[in-house]
Amino acid sequence: MYLHKTNKYRHALTALFSAAVVLFAPHQSAYADAEVAKITDANQSAPAKGLMWEIKAGQKTAYLLGSIHLAKPDFYPLTTAVEEAYTKSKILAVEVDATDQKAIAKVMPQVIYKAPDQLDKHISAETWAELNKVAGPAITQLQMLKPAMVSTGLVVGVMMGQGYQPQAGIDVYFLNRAKADKKKIQELETLAFQIKVLTDFSDKEGDEMLASTLKGIQSGEAVKEAENMVAAWRTGDAPALEKILDDLNNKDAASAKMMKRLLDDRNVGMSEKIIKLMNGGQSVFVVVGAGHMIGKNNILEFLKKKGFQIRQVE
């Protein structure tokens, strides 16, 4: 089903324009303190297990929780182990503070074309035609966005149509908890850096990426892949998630390039920031995308090479 064919999908597509501003849109409609309490009280027979590791070196300890940036309210509360790790940590470390509306507004010029420039001047006629099929009348709004943002936003829109919410994402949940608890929040990256990662593509690369996304949406594979990732995360199945990411990486050249840029190329920098925080002497609760903990050149492997002891918390 294409995005423009039901009201639910039209609403999801409308929401993607702000959702696409950061990786998988964790900032949109961020919860107020009252909403944090509400989501924590959601009824659920089997709490989402998630993927969490304990990192140690001598007296230094950190917990690394792999995040998914879109989730459902019934994922909460998380397991006792996750909640306890958060509670006893003094610092929350995240990729970026995705609830910072000022920072989001500041980077907006990076993700849009300045008129009279527009999207259809940077992608092929074939990709533009396929985008028309998926987006329908909303394509006029998409004209302002760069290909990677359209690609990200379309996937977000489809997942929102399946009931997943950026505001229920694991990182946003803990960001709002930390602000309510007055914990120190440390960003491992900047929003400007993340947006550069998503927009610093040639026209050819952007076209390939968008074409691949459209193909996945039209075939239903995009939803299936996202649902499989969520299921693996929810049950704490790291090998299953690794296989899914490997399959995505090997799907086509555009996907491989995107995966490398989004994951491998960022892991060293984030790992070094985590080590620096641990060396500060306070316990740290780290929440970053689960893909950064999986596969070759991941954060956990980097920390192992630096002498840290690592165990997955079951």
Side-chain angles (χ1 to χ4, degrees):
M1 181 180 292
Y2 297 168
L3 295 181
H4 64 282
K5 292 188 176 179
T6 67
N7 283 334
K8 176 162 68 170
Y9 280 85
R10 280 200 296 272
H11 294 326
L13 186 55
T14 299
L16 74 84
F17 300 118
S18 57
V21 174
V22 292
L23 296 177
F24 301 106
H27 75 277
Q28 183 178 319
S29 303
Y31 281 108
D33 293 348
E35 292 297 319
V36 172
K38 188 187 300 181
I39 200 169
T40 304
D41 291 338
N43 292 322
Q44 179 183 303
S45 57
K49 188 174 181 181
L51 292 163
M52 186 171 74
W53 289 263
E54 181 186 68
I55 314 300
K56 278 196 169 187
Q59 299 301 311
K60 305 168 189 173
T61 303
Y63 291 91
L64 272 64
L65 177 65
S67 172
I68 50 175
H69 299 308
L70 289 93
K72 295 181 178 180
D74 70 356
F75 281 32
Y76 301 92
L78 300 174
T79 62
T80 300
V82 172
E83 292 291 340
E84 287 180 349
Y86 165 79
T87 299
K88 64 187 179 184
S89 297
K90 300 296 184 183
I91 299 172
L92 171 68
V94 292
E95 294 176 34
V96 296
D97 182 352
T99 65
D100 186 343
Q101 297 299 315
K102 289 183 179 179
I104 291 166
K106 190 173 180 180
V107 300
M108 278 300 295
Q110 292 178 242
V111 306
I112 62 176
Y113 291 113
K114 186 176 180 180
D117 199 9
Q118 56 189 29
L119 178 64
D120 64 357
K121 297 179 181 179
H122 297 271
I123 60 176
S124 68
E126 293 78 11
T127 301
W128 178 250
E130 294 305 313
L131 182 59
N132 264 283
K133 293 178 186 178
V134 171
I139 197 165
T140 56
Q141 294 170 279
L142 290 173
Q143 278 277 36
M144 70 179 71
L145 292 172
K146 294 182 179 180
M149 303 312 295
V150 175
S151 183
T152 301
L154 288 172
V155 174
V156 170
V158 169
M159 293 307 294
M160 288 176 69
Q162 298 296 313
Y164 292 88
Q165 304 171 9
Q167 63 266 34
I170 308 303
D171 38 6
V172 169
Y173 169 74
F174 280 110
L175 274 163
N176 284 288
R177 284 276 302 275
K179 288 181 179 181
D181 296 339
K182 302 192 184 312
K183 285 184 186 281
K184 182 177 179 182
I185 297 171
Q186 180 67 51
E187 294 180 299
L188 301 178
E189 297 178 327
T190 66
L191 187 54
F193 170 77
Q194 287 198 348
I195 295 302
K196 181 174 172 52
V197 168
L198 269 181
T199 57
D200 193 18
F201 287 94
S202 68
D203 283 356
K204 182 176 183 295
E205 291 169 334
D207 180 75
E208 290 173 346
M209 183 192 316
L210 183 52
S212 178
T213 298
L214 290 166
K215 182 179 178 182
I217 289 172
Q218 290 167 313
S219 67
E221 284 300 310
V223 171
K224 191 180 299 183
E225 289 165 353
E227 290 274 14
N228 288 341
M229 282 191 277
V230 170
W233 178 89
R234 189 162 186 164
T235 57
D237 193 340
L241 183 59
E242 183 168 4
K243 184 181 185 310
I244 293 165
L245 292 176
D246 279 345
D247 289 344
L248 285 172
N249 188 60
N250 295 322
K251 186 167 63 172
D252 52 51
S255 297
K257 186 168 290 188
M258 187 67 162
M259 294 290 284
K260 181 178 184 298
R261 185 168 292 191
L262 288 179
L263 299 177
D264 292 3
D265 291 353
R266 297 165 54 207
N267 287 340
V268 172
M270 285 198 285
S271 300
E272 290 174 342
K273 291 279 185 67
I274 291 168
I275 292 172
K276 185 176 180 180
L277 287 172
M278 292 179 70
N279 286 338
Q282 291 184 306
S283 53
V284 186
F285 186 75
V286 183
V287 181
V288 299
H292 295 285
M293 316 291 191
I294 301 295
K296 298 177 182 178
N297 305 313
N298 66 59
I299 288 175
L300 299 173
E301 289 300 318
F302 183 89
L303 294 174
K304 281 181 185 176
K305 291 175 182 176
K306 293 294 182 179
F308 288 85
Q309 297 176 328
I310 296 172
R311 71 174 182 91
Q312 185 173 354
V313 180
E314 299 294 338

